[in-house]
Each structure stands twice: as structure tokens, then as C-alpha cells.
Amino acid sequence: MNQGFELFPDAGSAYAGDVDALYAFLVAVALLFTFGICFAILFFAVRYRSGSDVPRRPLAVRHIRAIEITWSVVPLLLTMVMFGWGAALYLRQQQPPDDALEIAVIGKQWMWQLQHAEGRREHNELHVPVGRPVRLTMISEDVIHSFYVPAFRVKQDVLPGRYTTLWFQPDRPGEHHLFCAEYCGTEHSLMRGRVIVQEPGEYARWLAGATGDAPAVAGRKLFEQFRCHTCHTKGEAARGPALEGLLGRKVPLAAGGFVVADEDYVRESILNPQAKVVAGFQPIMPTFEGQIGEEGILQIIAYIQSLSAEEAAGEIQQEQPAEPGRAKP
């Protein structure tokens, strides 16, 4: 990793080149108008200076429609090109691929805590494989932070009480700077780290050194520790909705309407369960605020996601036709 100051660090992600191209276009347009306007100002200041031999300006003002249309249409077209180009790039950055590697990120004063789906934890370092899309689900434990990797041309605010996501795809091995780009306190300048991009085999060997539980496993333990399974179960005796296949589904509410069950909905249901009560159930769930931290909530979400994946796999298996002469499993 370079030690000196870099105005434009080498592009290290799949769409970093697209960001640089848009930036270069914006700078080129700005310079074109800047130098054009400066030249016009200097030219007219010299050409029509006091005492210069120029014809007197007529009192009647001439309107040249072609010029007026040009200086209105050209800036409009350039602005629409900037908008369309920027919007397309923004939408691309907001839609991670389905096979993206999932990593949970917690920002706190003044460090980054990261956990891979296989259980490996890191502090102020992020190991990722080259050529694989990576999706970060991020939240802050205290104040606003901002996850910024200049070489990848990605930056996303990390907020308290709300999940934000960010994805990138590194395209070459190496090490890159990781910064917090939002002033977050007296030691903000020390909240930095590095992203280490490895070849797939090297990354697999590094990942195999995990010693802790995977987030889904740790989430299942918390689920059982707080006796959540006694209410959230299937059957007529259930006092809470079943969680299999929950994430991404529309949930009917007792107050009317629906809500899409995403990570923020699950987090709110754990910390403030009376905010959105599911239709058909009583508001009897207690709050777990102060009992389960942000890391624990992310682990429970990972466990619920694993239930959704298991249910989807079961549905696919049931839909497969049985072989002749064999019963369907």
C-alpha cells in the first residue's frame, strides 16, 4: 500500500473506471466553460476598453434567436448527459449481485468491526477475494461514520439505528486504504484501516482460520437464549409469526397496510416490537433494547436469513418430480 499522498489512487474495483470517466467528463465541461467565460471577459475588457476605437453601440437591442437557443439548449443537453450518466452509475452501485459475499460491518468510536458469513472477525482490516462482489451491511453503535475506500471509488455513511449497504468488486490483488470520511470525534483521524484483496485460494486459506461461530450459528444461540422460539413457531399455538421465509416478504400489520420485512424491520421488531404489530397477533412481545447489541441483532438477522434459505431449498426439492419407481422424498 502506497505511503505517499495520492490525488487519484489506482482504480481497484470493477466500476472505479466508470466513476473516473464520469469525473473526467464533469471536470472537462467545467474547464471548458471556465476558460471560455474567462477568455470572453478578458477579450471584451480589452476590446471595449475606455478610449478604444470601436463603433458606438446602437440604442436598439438586436435579438439573435439562434444564439439565445444555443446558450439555452447546449447547457441543458450537457446537464441531462451528466444526470443520466450519474443516475445510471448510482443505480448500478445500489444493486449488488445476488451472489455477493456478505459481510457485516459495525462502526464505533474509533474502529471498524467486521464479520464474515463464515465467522471470521476483523478489526480495521477487511480481507476479500479478487473478482468476487462483496456486499457490506453496516450500522453504527454511536455516531455517524462513513466507510470510504478511495481505490474502489466507494463511500457510504454508516448511521446509528439504521442499516446501510455498500458493494464493490475488487479486480486486482493488493492492499488499499480504508478511512472514515465523516468527522466522528476527537480521534476521527485514527479511524482508518486497510482492505486486503487476495487471490481466491489465498482468501479461502485465510478464511479457514476462523475460530468463532458463524453469524447464523451465533444468531440461533441468541434466539434460543432469549427464548424467542417459544413464540415464533409454526402451528396454532404460536404467539408470534413464524420467521421462515420472512426477509423480503410483505407483512400485513394489525394497524392496516403492509411493510416489507427487511433488516431494518427485523431490528425495529427486536428493539421496539410495538411499532409494527403483525396482523393476527397480540402486542405481547417485550423489548430487548439494552439486552442485545448491534452485533447480536446482525447475528439474529443472519439466522433468520438462513431459515429463509432452508425454506426456499425445501420448496425447490418438493417441486422436483420424483424419478420413475421412486417415491418423492
Side-chain angles (χ1 to χ4, degrees), residues 112-129:
W112 298 108
Q113 178 180 314
L114 308 100
Q115 186 172 21
H116 297 250
E118 292 77 7
R120 187 74 186 254
R121 282 184 171 86
E122 300 188 78
H123 294 91
N124 294 332
E125 283 190 353
L126 173 59
H127 287 73
V128 293

Side-chain angles (χ1 to χ4, degrees), residues 63-80:
H63 292 279
I64 304 177
R65 191 175 301 277
I67 294 179
E68 294 178 352
I69 293 176
T70 299
W71 71 42
S72 299
V73 173
V74 170
L76 173 64
L77 293 177
L78 287 174
T79 303
M80 295 310 297

Side-chain angles (χ1 to χ4, degrees), residues 83-309:
F83 172 79
W85 192 349
L89 185 57
Y90 172 80
L91 291 175
R92 180 185 170 193
Q93 291 180 339
Q94 298 302 311
Q95 299 172 349
D98 294 335
D99 62 341
L101 189 69
E102 295 284 347
I103 298 176
V105 180
I106 298 177
K108 59 180 72 174
Q109 294 175 315
W110 289 271
M111 61 172 288
W112 298 108
Q113 178 180 314
L114 308 100
Q115 186 172 21
H116 297 250
E118 292 77 7
R120 187 74 186 254
R121 282 184 171 86
E122 300 188 78
H123 294 91
N124 294 332
E125 283 190 353
L126 173 59
H127 287 73
V128 293
V130 65
R132 176 81 182 274
V134 179
R135 179 180 184 267
L136 308 180
T137 300
M138 306 181 293
I139 196 167
S140 170
E141 282 194 350
D142 35 54
V143 298
I144 298 177
H145 302 283
S146 189
F147 195 94
Y148 177 39
V149 184
F152 294 166
R153 311 299 193 262
V154 293
K155 184 176 79 70
Q156 177 63 54
D157 286 350
V158 182
L159 310 175
R162 174 184 169 188
Y163 292 113
T164 55
T165 60
L166 171 70
W167 83 275
F168 54 82
Q169 181 176 319
D171 60 2
R172 67 189 66 179
E175 297 184 11
H176 307 283
H177 292 289
L178 165 62
F179 298 109
C180 174
E182 186 75 28
Y183 181 72
C184 55
T186 56
E187 297 186 28
H188 161 71
S189 61
L190 301 179
M191 192 170 175
R192 58 183 184 267
R194 58 180 184 162
V195 179
I196 303 170
V197 183
Q198 301 174 306
E199 294 290 351
E202 184 182 1
Y203 173 75
R205 289 190 294 272
W206 174 86
L207 201 60
T211 57
D213 291 330
V217 175
R220 178 178 59 81
K221 292 180 178 179
L222 286 172
F223 199 78
E224 295 174 352
Q225 175 186 340
F226 289 96
R227 311 295 294 171
C228 304
H229 61 285
T230 60
C231 292
H232 294 281
T233 184
K234 293 181 178 180
E236 297 181 357
R239 291 178 291 176
L243 303 180
E244 288 80 4
L246 173 65
L247 288 175
R249 192 177 70 200
K250 281 189 175 181
V251 177
L253 300 178
F258 294 83
V259 62
V260 176
D262 56 9
E263 289 90 346
D264 284 301
Y265 168 76
V266 175
R267 181 182 183 277
E268 183 182 44
S269 297
I270 294 173
L271 301 181
N272 185 17
Q274 313 305 321
K276 296 182 178 69
V277 179
V278 178
F281 295 93
Q282 297 297 319
I284 60 174
M285 178 173 170
T287 177
F288 292 94
E289 187 171 5
Q291 303 179 60
I292 304 178
E294 296 295 351
E295 183 178 9
I297 294 174
L298 283 168
Q299 291 170 345
I300 292 176
I301 292 173
Y303 171 62
I304 295 175
Q305 285 177 325
S306 70
L307 295 178
S308 303

